[in-house]
Amino acid sequence: MEIPSTTSSPALVPRASSYSQKTLKWAVLLSLLMTAAAGVLYSFLQPVIPLFYTLTQSNQQLVNKWWIFLFPAFSWLVTMVHFTLLKTMKNLEGSIERIWCWTTVGIVGITSLLFIRLILAVT
């Protein structure tokens, strides 16, 4: 009778799946692009921008231009919280992990589209 070795087998070592790595790259890339665009465009913006331009009162629509950093900050917050939670919940099924990862990219993507819409409305 042979005693099995005590070294850990490769199947027991937790690894990041290819889906979470790919989606993390997409989310970080979108967040970086938004942060860089906000940094570059900040100096070209007017002192106040119409962030809440759907409100009926015109004085409620305008905010200070530093609010442009709200979109990249939200994007980074969503990215870090989602992937931190995903890392702590290592025992998720494959399909749930994929849904969680692509939802993160979807939220960051929608935030990027809102950011682009605001930039196009201001310029």
Side-chain angles (χ1 to χ4, degrees), residues 8 21 43 62 71 80 91 94 101 119:
S8 63
Q21 289 175 356
S43 62
L62 301 176
F71 295 99
M80 292 305 137
N91 57 353
C101 290
I119 295 301

Side-chain angles (χ1 to χ4, degrees), residues 27 30-31 34 70-80 108 111-112:
L30 285 172
S31 299
M34 256 196 301
L70 175 74
F71 295 99
F74 178 72
S75 176
W76 282 111
L77 178 71
V78 166
T79 301
M80 292 305 137
V108 172
T111 306
S112 301

Side-chain angles (χ1 to χ4, degrees), residues 2-16:
E2 194 173 314
I3 299 175
S5 66
T6 58
T7 60
S8 63
S9 66
L12 298 177
V13 177
R15 292 185 191 178

Side-chain angles (χ1 to χ4, degrees), residues 25-81:
K25 288 178 186 177
W26 275 105
V28 168
L29 177 70
L30 285 172
S31 299
L32 277 174
L33 287 174
M34 256 196 301
T35 305
V40 168
L41 293 172
Y42 180 77
S43 62
F44 298 110
L45 291 176
Q46 307 166 19
V48 289
I49 57 173
L51 184 63
F52 304 110
Y53 55 86
T54 57
L55 294 176
T56 57
Q57 302 288 329
S58 62
N59 60 349
Q60 294 175 345
Q61 293 176 355
L62 301 176
V63 294
N64 202 349
K65 71 178 182 177
W66 61 268
W67 275 69
I68 198 75
F69 293 107
L70 175 74
F71 295 99
F74 178 72
S75 176
W76 282 111
L77 178 71
V78 166
T79 301
M80 292 305 137
V81 168

